[in-house]
């Protein structure tokens, strides 16, 4: 028995001493009695505690499950921390001055003591069920979707009816008499994961971002202490969700509520593991306490209609609405991962405006934006508006693919189940690591690369994997998980454990992930570096990327499991397309090159034009002389399916200047109607091409390359689309008056005449028209969407997205329902009773996405 842990009486004795020594800070009371007549103690902490019930409050409950001792232990250590630090820690002082902490260290005293003294694995309370069994699972006894269960032997037996137990009645009565409670934390073990509350409808709720950000910010505090990463996991269809829990009861009453599962064992090594868990969670609780006021009536109202104004490959415009108030400003946060914290590190804007333009973004990348209003006097912040999720468009030269493994190409292989390993593919989950039952288990994921043309250049590659459950990863700080690229041409059977484990990796991706960095409910991402992308380019010829996922392969003495579970999206417990391991690729198609010969050139003096000669500089009187050359447009290339990737104008000089003056020569891409001095002098310059050429460079070499920058390349494409010639002017500049400084360039008929070299790819460069005639109807309780596809041979399909709160402006601004060539889909996991918006985007092979066609579905309550 771990005697370092406090008993329930130890806890009461400590709290009574704390109250007597700090009566202005701590108040202690019993809120009810258990079956065995133990008091259910609640401690109130606040500065000044006399006014505690007038402040926004955080409710902390611990050890509702008897064997989960962390809740009681953390409560004691947190009170000790407050007593030792509140006098000088400004963050703690502010939190306790503005907020109140209600803390029930142990909501299940009878079961807790039974677990300590008789049977450590005991979970329930100690009700006599009258049939020889004892106990009700108190976290199934609340009236939030209470589920009746007659099997009293079960550890999850929820009792004869909701609130049948004195313990749940006590906390219910306290909560219902204290409407100042704004946040609730229910501490459990094990798993190192947050389980935010839900409303059983599998759709985004207005508080969904508040729940995720609260957990992510607490996670951020945990990471500062130990480096550990907790998961954040709300449950997802078609998984069976918990019924009758306190978490959902609090949430149903408007309280931001989450379960915190701590550690990897119910009763861990006290000195090593429990002390770490306590240390990392103390600042997390302080943060949650400081947030209570931001969900109170004192807080500004939530921002309205936070939406996307526009998205390009490197810029996003965000828009929102709010009443005009001089005392309010807005904080905008940006992250590149879901369920990220909102802290100073990712605060990208503080503004009074109701728009924000975010620039210098990466093309084809996901971004997540959050916003809240702030009172500039009190610094109290509003709840969050639901998070915006978007993906920047691809740059014009890029193509993108999101690849998913086929059912038969994703699964796991176990050392001890070789005969059944093929059955592990496309079914349920991947189990990766080692345990006594399976032996060593490896994950296998194969991607078909045949849709990426050989010779393409991979610009970015990212592999995503969804951790589903880490409960079987029981050993703290033991083992690492990694991903290796295998040579698929050397493996003729991916279902053969020995061939996969014995394969020599071509490369191992990035860094390994240690056990205490493993999460559940937060996507893991491996970003390919330059070496890995180069290898991926070579594998395009094999048409397959074969990945092996491996974890620890041995166990320490006396341990039986160190296994991580990952979702594959298939099978009865898989969660569909959204949760399959996916490979995000951005690439450029193989380039082709065309060299244009100059079609005409002229030397333009103040008083004459010399045809078929190309010179520029200054004449004997010091007047400027222009060189002009033209190239015919590329008739053979369809402007709609051509993207210029690079361009270079090459000129050849015939002489240099004898003058010592610093004379330089520049090239301009211009709009030009007439070739004479007047029109050239009044020309409309589009852009300089490349860098200027000095006289020293003229002496060193005869060939001079003028490379197009991004803007001039874009303008060259515009002229190509307009099917007009490309005109260039060669102009001389000097530091002071120059004369008799004329450079002759190779003319149209010379052996080394000027050439315009253009690299291009064949890719559609404009979106298709939007779909039309979008309609909804309800069939068998499910919303059905129907639309008409645009009439185009370039159509690949349509992308359908659902958003509860605003019309989708990006195909990633909400929940994806469908992507493909059909003209209908079903919102199978949506709630037909709730109002929402649907958006449908057409897309081509690039893919370019059209503007959306949007419809508002009013829901049952609005009819």
């Amino acid at each position: 028995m771990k005697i370092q842990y406090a008993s329930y009486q130890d806890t009461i004795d400590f709290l009574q001493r704390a109250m007597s020594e700090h009566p202005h800070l701590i108040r202690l009371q019993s809120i009810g009695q258990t079956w065995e007549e133990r008091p259910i103690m609640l401690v109130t902490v606040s500065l000044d505690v006399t006014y505690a019930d007038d402040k926004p409050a955080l409710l902390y409950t611990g050890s509702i499950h008897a064997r989960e001792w962390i809740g009681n232990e953390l409560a004691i250590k947190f009170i000790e921390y407050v007593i030792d630090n509140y006098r000088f820690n400004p963050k703690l002082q502010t939190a306790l001055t503005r907020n109140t902490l209600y803390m029930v260290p142990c909501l299940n005293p009878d079961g807790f003591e039974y677990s300590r003294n008789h049977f450590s694995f005991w979970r329930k309370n100690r009700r006599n069920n009258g049939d020889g069994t004892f106990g009700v699972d108190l976290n199934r006894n609340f009236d939030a979707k209470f589920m009746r269960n007659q099997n009293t032997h079960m550890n999850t037996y929820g009792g004869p009816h909701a609130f049948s137990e004195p313990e749940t009645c006590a906390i219910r009565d306290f909560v219902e008499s204290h409407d100042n409670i704004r946040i609730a934390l229910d501490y459990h073990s094990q798993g190192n994961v947050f389980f935010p509350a839900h409303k059983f409808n599998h759709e985004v709720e207005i508080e969904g971002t508040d729940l995720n950000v609260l957990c992510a910010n607490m996670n951020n505090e945990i990471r500062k202490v130990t480096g550990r990463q907790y998961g954040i996991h709300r449950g997802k269809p078609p998984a069976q969700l918990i019924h009758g829990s306190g978490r959902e009861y609090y949430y149903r009453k408007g309280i931001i509520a989450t379960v915190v599962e701590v550690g990897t064992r119910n009763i861990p090594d006290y000195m090593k593991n429990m002390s770490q868990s306590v240390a990392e969670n103390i600042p997390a609780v302080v943060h949650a306490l400081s947030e209570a006021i931001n969900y109170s009536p004192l807080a500004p109202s939530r921002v309205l209609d936070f939406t996307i104004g526009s998205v390009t490959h490197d810029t996003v415009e965000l828009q929102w609405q709010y009443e005009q108030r001089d005392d309010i400003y807005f904080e905008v946060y940006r992250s590149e991962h879901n369920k990220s914290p909102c802290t100073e590190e990712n605060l990208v804007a503080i503004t009074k405006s109701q728009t924000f333009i975010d620039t210098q973004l990466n093309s084809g990348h996901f971004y997540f934006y959050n916003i809240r209003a702030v009172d500039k006097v009190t610094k109290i912040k509003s709840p969050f508006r639901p998070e915006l999720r978007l993906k920047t468009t691809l740059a014009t030269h890029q193509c993108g693919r999101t690849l998913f493994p086929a059912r038969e190409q994703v699964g796991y292989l176990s050392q001890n189940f070789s005969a059944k390993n093929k059955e592990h593919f496309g079914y349920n989950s991947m189990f990766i690591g080692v345990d006594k039952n399976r032996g060593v288990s490896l994950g296998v994921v194969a991607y078909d690369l045949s849709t990426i043309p050989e010779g393409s250049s991979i610009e970015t590659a990212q592999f995503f994997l969804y951790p589903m459950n880490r409960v079987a990863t029981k050993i703290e700080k033991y083992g690492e998980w990694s991903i290796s690229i295998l040579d698929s041409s050397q493996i003729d059977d991916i279902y053969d454990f020995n061939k996969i484990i014995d394969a020599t990796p071509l490369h191992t991706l990035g860094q390994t992930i240690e056990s205490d960095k493993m999460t559940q409910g937060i996507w893991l991402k491996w970003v390919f570096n330059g070496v890995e992308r180069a290898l991926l380019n070579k594998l395009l010829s094999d048409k397959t990327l074969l990945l092996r996922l491996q974890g620890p392969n041995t166990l320490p003495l006396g341990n039986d499991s160190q296994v991580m579970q990952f979702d594959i999206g298939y099978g009865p417990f898989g969660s569909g397309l959204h949760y399959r391991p996916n490979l995000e690729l951005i690439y450029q198609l193989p380039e082709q090159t065309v060299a244009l010969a100059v079609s005409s050139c002229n030397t333009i003096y103040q008083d004459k034009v010399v045809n078929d000669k190309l010179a520029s500089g200054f004449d004997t009187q010091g007047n400027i002389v222009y060189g002009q050359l033209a190239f015919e447009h590329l008739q053979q290339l369809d402007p709609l399916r051509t993207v210029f990737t690079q361009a270079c104008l090459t000129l050849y000089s015939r002489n240099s200047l004898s003058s010592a003056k610093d004379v330089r020569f520049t090239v301009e891409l211009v709009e030009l109607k007439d070739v004479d001095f007047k029109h050239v002098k009044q020309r409309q310059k589009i852009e300089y091409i490349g860098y200027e050429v000095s006289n020293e460079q003229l002496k060193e070499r005869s060939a001079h390359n003028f490379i197009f920058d991004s803007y001039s390349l874009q303008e060259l494409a515009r002229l190509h689309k307009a099917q007009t010639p490309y005109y260039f002017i060669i102009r001389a500049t000097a530091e002071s008056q120059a004369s008799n400084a004329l450079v002759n360039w190779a003319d149209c008929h010379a052996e080394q005449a000027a050439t315009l070299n253009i690299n291009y790819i064949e890719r559609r460069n404009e979106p298709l028209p939007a779909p039309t005639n979008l309609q909804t109807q309800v069939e068998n309780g499910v919303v059905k969407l129907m639309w008409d596809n645009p009439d185009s041979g370039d159509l690949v399909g349509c992308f359908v997205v659902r958003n509860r709160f605003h019309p989708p402006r990006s195909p990633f601004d909400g929940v994806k329902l469908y992507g493909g060539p059909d003209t209908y889909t079903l919102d199978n996991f949506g709630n037909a009773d709730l109002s929402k918006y649907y958006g449908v985007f057409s897309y081509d092979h690039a893919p370019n996405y059209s503007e959306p066609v949007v419809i508002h579905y009013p829901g049952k309550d609005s009819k």
Side-chain angles (χ1 to χ4, degrees):
M1 188 57 59
K2 308 294 191 297
I3 60 173
Q4 302 96 332
Y5 289 89
S7 69
Y8 191 61
Q9 188 59 52
D10 292 337
T11 304
I12 295 174
D13 293 345
F14 164 75
L15 294 176
Q16 288 174 336
R17 287 195 306 271
M19 181 178 65
S20 64
E21 294 170 4
H22 304 277
H24 65 295
L25 178 66
I26 295 173
R27 183 175 70 210
L28 186 62
Q29 68 188 99
S30 171
I31 59 171
Q33 279 197 324
T34 66
W35 287 106
E36 296 178 351
E37 298 186 351
R38 289 184 175 90
I40 302 168
M41 303 306 296
L42 180 142
V43 57
T44 301
V45 185
S46 191
L47 287 171
D48 176 350
V49 75
T50 304
Y51 303 101
D53 295 342
D54 298 328
K55 302 177 186 180
L58 166 71
L59 173 66
Y60 173 110
T61 53
S63 300
I64 192 172
H65 288 146
R67 65 195 182 207
E68 299 173 15
W69 298 1
I70 177 64
N72 189 75
E73 201 66 31
L74 175 58
I76 294 172
K77 298 304 182 184
F78 188 82
I79 299 297
E80 290 180 346
Y81 172 84
V82 170
I83 292 170
D84 292 343
N85 291 274
Y86 79 93
R87 294 179 182 87
F88 59 85
N89 183 322
K91 184 174 181 180
L92 182 59
Q93 280 184 345
T94 301
L96 290 170
T97 300
R98 292 156 64 114
N99 307 278
T100 290
L101 172 64
Y102 297 129
M103 181 171 272
V104 182
C106 181
L107 194 53
N108 184 4
D110 294 348
F112 178 68
E113 284 301 303
Y114 191 80
S115 171
R116 290 185 66 256
N117 295 304
H118 299 286
F119 180 58
S120 63
F121 204 63
W122 188 257
R123 170 184 170 100
K124 300 183 284 185
N125 72 352
R126 292 297 295 167
R127 163 196 271 270
N128 186 340
N129 293 320
D131 58 359
T133 68
F134 286 81
V136 166
D137 182 346
L138 297 177
N139 205 38
R140 300 297 185 275
N141 188 243
F142 292 80
D143 68 351
K145 288 280 184 176
F146 175 80
M147 181 178 288
R148 191 174 302 279
N149 177 2
Q150 302 299 328
N151 189 349
T152 60
H153 292 80
M154 290 183 65
N155 262 335
T156 56
Y157 170 59
H161 58 82
F163 292 121
S164 62
E165 306 309 295
E167 296 91 343
T168 53
C169 288
I171 195 66
R172 176 200 63 191
D173 294 344
F174 182 82
V175 168
E176 293 191 354
S177 63
H178 290 76
D179 60 4
N180 60 327
I181 298 173
R182 300 298 162 187
I183 296 175
L185 303 180
D186 189 16
Y187 269 84
H188 291 245
S189 61
Q190 55 176 309
N192 287 339
V193 60
F194 294 92
F195 286 123
H198 50 74
K199 289 182 178 175
F200 299 93
N201 59 35
H202 301 303
E203 290 210 32
V204 177
E205 293 121 18
I206 191 72
E207 308 90 0
T209 296
D210 298 314
L211 287 159
N212 282 336
V213 173
L214 174 67
C215 296
N217 283 352
M218 292 176 68
N219 213 350
N220 191 53
E221 298 296 324
I222 290 168
R223 190 161 47 240
K224 291 177 187 177
V225 178
T226 59
R228 206 184 322 276
Q229 170 87 348
Y230 280 36
I232 304 174
H233 190 64
R234 294 192 69 203
K236 51 189 173 19
Q240 180 66 41
L241 301 174
I242 293 173
H243 290 71
S245 79
R247 172 188 59 183
E248 273 66 55
Y249 165 73
Y250 304 136
Y251 186 35
R252 194 187 63 193
K253 296 189 71 65
I255 297 170
I256 300 299
T258 184
V259 160
V260 190
E261 297 272 4
V262 180
T264 54
R265 290 185 180 274
N266 288 321
I267 310 171
D269 182 314
Y270 188 95
M271 295 180 66
K272 181 180 180 180
N273 302 131
M274 176 62 85
S275 59
Q276 286 186 2
S277 294
V278 166
E280 68 191 7
N281 274 282
I282 284 175
V285 176
V286 172
H287 172 80
L289 176 62
S290 70
E291 281 288 313
I293 196 170
N294 297 328
Y295 294 94
S296 74
L298 299 172
S301 59
R302 202 187 300 269
V303 169
L304 299 175
D305 298 329
F306 184 40
T307 189
I308 302 164
S310 62
V311 183
T312 70
H313 72 282
D314 63 356
T315 301
V316 171
E317 181 188 15
L318 306 177
Q319 302 172 346
W320 59 92
Q321 294 182 16
Y322 207 85
E323 60 180 312
Q324 292 297 325
R325 288 177 54 179
D326 292 337
D327 60 338
I328 292 293
Y329 63 87
F330 307 98
E331 293 180 346
V332 181
Y333 301 85
R334 178 192 70 214
S335 57
E336 296 184 37
H337 305 274
N338 70 323
K339 301 177 184 175
S340 290
C342 291
T343 64
E344 286 290 330
E345 285 73 19
N346 65 332
L347 179 63
V348 293
I350 297 176
T351 179
K352 281 190 67 66
S353 173
Q354 295 187 24
T355 62
F356 169 63
I357 297 177
D358 200 10
T359 60
Q360 304 300 316
L361 303 176
N362 294 317
S363 60
H365 279 62
F366 286 106
Y367 291 96
F368 302 83
Y369 289 92
N370 287 303
I371 190 170
R372 68 195 316 186
V374 184
D375 186 308
K376 70 178 184 181
V377 177
T378 66
K379 298 299 186 285
I380 301 174
K381 303 181 181 184
S382 76
F384 284 92
R385 188 68 190 168
E387 185 173 72
L388 274 183
R389 178 176 183 263
L390 57 87
K391 192 178 187 182
T392 49
T393 61
L394 297 167
T396 54
H397 71 282
Q398 293 174 328
C399 292
R401 289 288 181 276
T402 302
L403 301 181
F404 299 95
R407 180 186 291 268
E408 65 275 8
Q409 292 185 314
V410 57
Y412 74 98
L413 305 171
S414 288
Q415 180 181 16
N416 297 339
F417 294 150
S418 58
K420 292 188 174 183
N421 274 335
K422 191 169 184 178
E423 299 174 15
H424 297 158
F425 279 67
Y427 184 82
N428 191 12
S429 308
M430 286 189 291
F431 296 91
I432 300 169
V434 58
D435 63 17
K436 292 290 182 65
N437 186 33
R438 299 182 183 89
V440 173
S441 292
L442 305 169
V444 177
V445 183
Y447 290 100
D448 180 1
L449 302 178
S450 62
T451 59
I452 315 297
E454 189 173 346
S456 296
S457 175
I458 305 293
E459 295 190 2
T460 67
Q462 300 176 91
F463 174 66
F464 293 86
L465 189 63
Y466 190 82
M468 189 174 181
N469 195 327
R470 61 150 294 140
V471 171
T473 309
K474 297 180 179 181
I475 312 169
E476 296 275 10
K477 295 189 175 181
Y478 178 78
E480 300 176 334
W481 282 256
S482 61
I483 298 178
S484 297
I485 300 175
L486 304 183
D487 186 349
S488 63
S489 66
Q490 300 300 310
I491 299 174
D492 58 7
D493 184 4
I494 65 170
Y495 308 121
D496 188 318
F497 174 85
N498 291 324
K499 289 184 178 180
I500 293 296
I501 198 170
D502 292 340
T504 301
L506 297 173
H507 189 83
T508 297
L509 294 181
Q511 295 182 337
T512 58
I513 299 182
E514 300 167 348
S515 60
D516 59 332
K517 304 299 189 302
M518 272 293 174
T519 67
Q520 68 185 79
I522 302 176
W523 282 94
L524 294 176
K525 178 172 73 172
W526 283 261
V527 179
F528 285 54
N529 62 30
V531 172
E532 293 158 355
R533 293 196 303 274
L535 175 58
L536 191 54
N537 282 326
K538 293 180 180 179
L539 293 176
L540 292 179
S541 59
D542 295 336
K543 308 297 185 186
T544 301
L545 172 65
L546 180 60
L547 301 177
R548 180 183 71 197
L549 288 66
Q550 55 258 331
N553 55 21
T554 61
L555 287 168
L557 179 67
N559 289 274
D560 61 0
S561 177
Q562 190 74 336
V563 172
M564 190 67 200
Q565 182 180 359
F566 299 92
D567 202 342
I568 64 171
Y570 295 103
F573 301 107
S575 301
L577 180 65
H578 298 144
Y579 295 94
R580 290 176 196 163
N582 61 86
L583 183 68
E584 283 273 344
L585 299 177
I586 297 176
Y587 59 95
Q588 181 178 299
L589 293 166
E591 284 185 324
Q592 302 181 59
T593 302
V594 61
L596 298 182
V598 61
S599 58
S600 67
C601 59
N602 299 282
T603 303
I604 304 171
Y605 294 84
Q606 194 168 18
D607 57 351
K608 64 180 179 179
V609 175
V610 179
N611 302 122
D612 296 332
K613 296 293 181 183
L614 190 60
S616 61
F618 300 95
D619 64 15
T620 55
Q621 286 76 42
N623 297 315
I624 191 168
V625 177
Y626 295 102
Q628 180 268 330
L629 63 163
F631 297 85
E632 292 299 325
H633 69 87
L634 293 160
Q635 297 182 10
Q636 68 272 32
L637 300 181
D638 181 355
L640 187 62
R641 291 174 175 78
T642 303
V643 172
F644 294 158
T645 54
Q646 300 178 74
C648 176
L649 175 65
T650 302
L651 299 178
Y652 297 89
S653 58
R654 297 301 192 211
N655 66 300
S656 59
L657 302 177
S658 58
S659 169
K661 286 185 177 293
D662 188 6
V663 179
R664 295 171 179 264
F665 296 86
T666 62
V667 174
E668 301 173 8
L669 177 64
V670 299
E671 302 270 14
L672 195 63
K673 293 183 179 179
D674 296 295
V675 181
D676 58 57
F677 190 84
K678 175 184 176 182
H679 285 92
V680 169
K681 191 173 180 63
Q682 296 174 351
R683 68 196 178 280
Q684 181 180 344
K685 181 186 74 174
I686 297 176
E687 179 67 357
Y688 288 111
I689 304 300
Y691 291 99
E692 58 192 15
V693 172
S694 68
N695 192 39
E696 290 301 315
Q697 291 169 315
L698 293 173
K699 293 176 182 178
E700 292 172 358
R701 59 182 183 271
S702 61
H704 307 280
N705 295 314
F706 297 83
I707 301 171
F708 285 59
D709 65 12
S710 300
Y711 178 73
S712 54
L713 192 65
Q714 177 182 306
E715 288 300 297
L716 191 69
R718 179 181 64 82
L719 296 171
H720 174 57
K721 185 176 181 180
Q723 298 186 335
T724 62
Y726 314 133
Y727 293 105
F728 298 90
I729 292 293
I730 309 171
R731 180 173 71 96
T733 61
E735 58 181 345
S736 59
Q737 184 67 33
S739 61
N740 197 27
L742 204 65
V743 169
N744 294 304
W745 307 89
D747 57 39
C748 304
H749 307 296
E751 184 177 344
Q752 291 184 317
T755 56
L756 179 59
N757 301 290
I758 299 175
N759 288 7
Y760 68 94
I761 58 174
E762 295 181 352
R763 170 204 186 273
R764 185 181 173 94
N765 52 40
E766 291 184 1
L768 296 166
T772 56
N773 196 29
L774 176 60
Q775 302 176 53
T776 64
Q777 66 184 47
V778 178
E779 292 185 0
N780 299 318
V782 175
V783 178
K784 180 179 182 180
L785 294 96
M786 300 155 288
W787 63 90
D788 294 331
N789 286 335
D791 185 13
S792 171
D794 292 331
L795 177 73
V796 173
C798 282
F799 200 97
V800 184
V801 63
R802 177 186 75 214
N803 192 302
R804 281 283 316 280
F805 306 107
H806 59 260
R809 293 286 302 141
S810 159
F812 306 93
D813 182 18
V815 178
K816 177 186 175 183
L817 301 181
Y818 174 74
D822 292 333
T823 57
Y824 76 95
T825 193
L826 299 173
D827 187 3
N828 286 309
F829 292 122
N831 188 329
D833 293 342
L834 299 177
S835 66
K836 65 205 77 178
Y837 295 89
Y838 294 101
V840 184
F841 303 74
S842 65
Y843 62 94
D844 57 21
H845 282 279
N848 296 299
Y849 291 96
S850 72
E851 289 294 310
V853 56
V854 175
I855 192 169
H856 177 249
Y857 171 76
K860 181 179 178 181
D861 295 340
S862 300
K863 294 180 179 178

